[in-house]
Amino acid sequence: MGLIFSLLTRAIDIYVLLLFIYILMSWFPGARDSSFGQGLARVTEPFLEQFRRFIPPLGMIDISPIVAILTLNFASRGIQQLYIMLVVA
């Protein structure tokens, strides 16, 4: 059972890393137009789009990725706490 929780938290960590890479690619012209950038967009944009519906950009700054990463961190911590509760009980 610990393996399942470990895999879930590791998958969330990897996804957060992919989001960071995707966000950093916006700083480099044409990086998102590369095949790697397009593949990364296919993985990250559906998740980010959920947050962009509710959080409008502040001028030229899009804060929805920050909220998305915070949400994933809360989910990861929740999974860890759930595991602790199940092991102790």
Side-chain angles (χ1 to χ4, degrees):
M1 186 146 122
L3 178 65
I4 294 171
F5 285 103
S6 177
L7 287 174
L8 282 173
T9 56
R10 179 65 63 186
I12 290 173
D13 292 342
I14 291 170
Y15 197 75
V16 167
L17 180 64
L18 291 176
L19 284 172
F20 270 122
I21 293 169
Y22 186 68
I23 292 165
L24 290 176
M25 287 178 75
S26 69
W27 294 0
F28 301 101
R32 287 188 178 176
D33 296 330
S34 68
S35 61
F36 178 72
Q38 290 174 356
L40 206 51
R42 274 186 248 122
V43 173
T44 58
E45 277 299 326
F47 184 66
L48 290 174
E49 191 62 36
Q50 302 300 317
F51 295 95
R52 288 186 182 130
R53 286 190 216 166
F54 303 106
I55 304 168
L58 301 173
M60 296 286 294
I61 300 173
D62 182 16
I63 62 168
S64 60
I66 296 169
V67 177
I69 290 170
L70 286 174
T71 302
L72 287 172
N73 276 336
F74 286 137
S76 178
R77 289 176 189 244
I79 290 170
Q80 291 170 358
Q81 289 300 317
L82 180 63
Y83 176 70
I84 290 170
M85 286 174 29
L86 290 175
V87 170
V88 172

